[in-house]
Amino acid sequence: MAQRAVWLISHEPGTPLCGTVRFSRRYPTVEKRARVFNGASYVPIPEDGPFLKALLFELRLLDDDKDFVESRDSCSRINKTSIYGLLIGGEELWPVVAFLKNDIIYACVPLVEQTLSPRPPLISVSGVSQGFEFLFGIQDFLYSGQKNDSELNTKLSQLPDLLLQACPFGTLLDANLKNSLDNTNFASVTQPQKQPAWKTGTYKGKPQVSISITEKVKSMQYDKQGIADTWQVVGTVTCKCDLEGIMPNVTISLNLPTNGSPLQDILVHPCVTSLDSAILTSSSIDAMDDSAFSGPYKFPLTPPLESFNLCYYTSQVPVPPILGFYQLKEEEVQLRITINLKLHESVKNNFEFCEAHIPFYNRGPITHLEYKTSFGQLEVFREKSLLIWIIGQKFPKSMEISLSGTVTFGAKSHEKQPFDPICIGETAYLKLHFRILDYTLTGCYADQHSVQVFASGKPKINRKLISSDYYIWNSKAPAPVTYGSLLL
């Protein structure tokens, strides 16, 4: 298991290249092995410039990349693994492990110890899992305690020396770069407990367990007879366990209030050692009844060094957090819009941000706007044919707000104006983006007193709750339209 190369790229929308390579490292000895293993299917590691352009194109992060590209965007290319093939100079570089976090793209190319034609199954490429561990370790190092850009630049300058210890010759020895920074030794061979192959180092320092629960709402509201509104909560529990010892054991419990919505479709991380059968059998496909399991949800585990997603879940809350009405009427060269939003009384009225995006597809730039709003501010992006209604951090006491007005468009330019094959005529939608801290829609929380740690030292328990989402409403839609949405 080894890595051929690694990159850290800052995503910079609005700049000519849309990104900058902040760090890169190639391993010539691994590259020679790749040439031997891959044979005629060998593709060399490119220079930073072509790699940057190809990766941003594949991730759809280029500013002018708005059109459908069949080789990348067709249904046969739906990617759920963060592993890509990059077309560079007429050849495909595969596998490329890449993901975006905090405006930094982490990428590496694992060594494949066999021919690439035909392409081998991912499960047979052991370097892929090590590549993820490597990148997660770098991510944890860069952003642990990092407060500003100067600290980030300092840590980036330390990476070349740290990787000499943590990943010499492309072989990962320790994913926890803090160990290399503090000049700590790797696990001693005299320790009585055998260290597993998947855990490449040990932690030394102050023990602490951090738990973050993030819930996102996926909702479609039509306000039309014959088309049912849909909504669902999707949750992610992220953990970081900084504990000494080779195999510390931890039990994390998730709890719900008395009227909380049961968690369903639970998927857990492989480090979870056992699980109650009632947790695994709770499914959103089955009709909900009084016997639905409502916790506590206990997860005994042996955590890895890096930050990891303990579990994913879904939940069907009784009502959407915000109800919406969106009407659009075409009057000659103008569009008349009416929008009403109402925050449900059970939802915490304290947002980090809340704004509604109102795009107009297949039209020219906005040339004139007349509007009236009962709350918030309206921003106009004329060239993008987009209105953004900035609601702010609180709804008014009435919990209801409205926006109405008329929009006039100029001549349509096919090169610049947004295009959508579905949003034709009076078919349109509104997206609502919001985030609420220290709150979950299901009521799910991690009780710090129920976290059990079997390791040396008493750890500090950190908790974080976030609710966020995308909302989509269609106006005069002929049939339900499903939009995939993802918040980073």
Side-chain angles (χ1 to χ4, degrees):
M1 296 188 293
Q3 306 300 313
R4 296 169 60 187
V6 59
W7 292 266
L8 299 182
I9 299 170
S10 61
H11 179 220
E12 301 169 354
T15 61
L17 298 178
C18 296
T20 303
V21 177
R22 302 290 298 274
F23 174 83
S24 66
R25 167 65 61 85
R26 292 163 176 77
Y27 295 97
T29 55
V30 182
E31 196 65 13
K32 290 183 179 180
R33 293 164 59 192
R35 188 178 292 108
V36 173
F37 282 125
N38 301 158
S41 60
Y42 167 76
V43 177
I45 295 294
E47 296 298 322
D48 288 348
F51 181 84
L52 171 65
K53 184 176 181 180
L55 182 61
L56 292 178
F57 173 79
E58 186 67 25
L59 297 179
R60 292 187 64 90
L61 295 177
L62 294 172
D63 288 343
D64 58 352
D65 187 15
K66 305 298 181 184
D67 297 330
F68 175 84
V69 180
E70 184 174 0
S71 62
R72 179 194 62 193
D73 304 324
S74 67
C75 293
S76 62
R77 286 290 306 276
I78 295 177
N79 193 306
K80 298 181 179 180
T81 60
S82 296
I83 299 173
Y84 305 91
L86 304 185
L87 191 62
I88 302 175
E91 298 179 304
E92 185 181 45
L93 179 65
W94 182 93
V96 178
V97 178
F99 59 86
L100 175 66
K101 192 72 172 180
N102 297 323
D103 292 326
I104 296 289
I105 302 172
Y106 300 81
C108 67
V109 179
L111 172 66
V112 181
E113 298 180 349
Q114 56 186 300
T115 181
L116 299 176
S117 182
R119 181 178 292 183
L122 281 177
I123 196 171
S124 67
V125 184
S126 56
V128 169
S129 59
Q130 188 192 68
F132 276 110
E133 185 178 12
F134 185 27
L135 296 179
F136 285 141
I138 296 177
Q139 175 193 326
D140 288 340
F141 168 71
L142 292 181
Y143 285 93
S144 60
Q146 184 260 334
K147 299 179 180 179
N148 51 50
D149 290 340
S150 63
E151 292 186 19
L152 177 61
N153 293 333
T154 299
K155 290 188 175 183
L156 285 172
S157 66
Q158 295 171 341
L159 272 181
D161 293 334
L162 293 179
L163 294 188
L164 288 176
Q165 302 179 50
C167 191
F169 302 104
T171 301
L172 184 64
L173 299 180
D174 190 354
N176 190 341
L177 299 189
K178 295 179 185 177
N179 290 345
S180 300
L181 183 64
D182 298 334
N183 293 321
T184 57
N185 296 322
F186 298 117
S188 172
V189 296
T190 61
Q191 291 176 308
Q193 192 173 14
K194 184 178 180 181
Q195 183 161 327
W198 56 264
K199 193 167 187 178
T200 55
T202 57
Y203 173 79
K204 296 291 184 181
K206 185 178 180 180
Q208 64 177 1
V209 177
S210 300
I211 306 170
S212 174
I213 302 176
T214 302
E215 291 187 348
K216 301 177 184 178
V217 183
K218 295 182 178 180
S219 176
M220 298 282 287
Q221 299 183 26
Y222 299 94
D223 193 46
K224 184 177 180 180
Q225 291 183 352
I227 303 179
D229 296 342
T230 62
W231 62 90
Q232 187 182 53
V233 173
V234 178
T236 304
V237 181
T238 304
C239 297
K240 180 72 165 67
C241 300
D242 294 328
L243 302 170
E244 294 187 351
I246 294 179
M247 295 284 284
N249 293 314
V250 181
T251 298
I252 295 175
S253 297
L254 302 181
N255 300 276
L256 294 174
T258 304
N259 59 345
S261 302
L263 309 185
Q264 301 170 319
D265 306 323
I266 298 176
L267 298 176
V268 300
H269 191 275
C271 71
V272 176
T273 55
S274 63
L275 209 58
D276 191 319
S277 60
I279 297 178
L280 293 174
T281 55
S282 181
S283 172
S284 60
I285 299 176
D286 302 327
M288 291 185 60
D289 55 28
D290 295 337
S291 62
F293 184 68
S294 57
Y297 305 85
K298 294 187 176 182
F299 302 92
L301 60 128
T302 302
L305 292 173
E306 70 276 5
S307 176
F308 65 99
N309 293 327
L310 173 63
C311 70
Y312 302 90
Y313 62 83
T314 66
S315 183
Q316 189 63 49
V317 295
V319 293
I322 301 177
L323 295 174
F325 169 80
Y326 177 30
Q327 185 180 64
L328 183 149
K329 292 183 179 180
E330 195 159 7
E331 300 176 352
E332 297 180 353
V333 296
Q334 293 182 333
L335 287 180
R336 182 175 297 277
I337 62 173
T338 303
I339 300 170
N340 298 320
L341 300 177
K342 181 178 180 180
L343 179 67
H344 193 269
E345 59 185 9
S346 65
V347 178
K348 180 180 178 181
N349 189 13
N350 188 8
F351 298 85
E352 183 180 18
F353 66 86
C354 182
E355 57 187 35
H357 289 211
I358 312 162
F360 299 99
Y361 290 100
N362 312 316
R363 303 179 187 274
I366 297 174
T367 58
H368 184 70
L369 172 68
E370 294 182 2
Y371 70 93
K372 179 181 179 181
T373 176
S374 65
F375 195 79
Q377 299 177 342
L378 192 66
E379 291 188 356
V380 183
F381 294 84
R382 299 182 184 276
E383 294 300 323
K384 295 183 178 180
S385 301
L386 172 68
L387 302 179
I388 297 183
W389 183 10
I390 301 176
I391 299 168
Q393 296 179 330
K394 283 183 178 291
F395 273 63
K397 292 183 179 180
S398 64
M399 300 294 186
E400 298 184 21
I401 58 177
S402 62
L403 168 66
S404 60
T406 57
V407 187
T408 305
F409 301 90
K412 182 167 59 174
S413 171
H414 294 285
E415 296 181 358
K416 297 293 184 180
Q417 303 312 127
F419 169 78
D420 189 288
I422 297 175
C423 297
I424 299 174
E426 295 183 2
T427 298
Y429 66 83
L430 174 151
K431 286 185 179 180
L432 181 63
H433 306 247
F434 67 82
R435 179 178 296 171
I436 308 175
L437 299 179
D438 299 322
Y439 175 79
T440 56
L441 294 166
T442 60
C444 179
Y445 66 96
D447 185 0
Q448 61 181 356
H449 300 294
S450 65
V451 177
Q452 300 177 344
V453 178
F454 303 94
S456 59
K458 184 178 180 180
K460 178 182 178 182
I461 309 297
N462 300 318
R463 298 180 303 154
K464 186 178 182 182
L465 305 178
I466 301 175
S467 287
S468 58
D469 93 28
Y470 273 52
Y471 256 44
I472 301 179
W473 292 281
N474 266 11
S475 170
K476 296 190 176 180
V481 180
T482 301
Y483 288 81
S485 59
L486 179 65
L487 185 65
L488 293 176

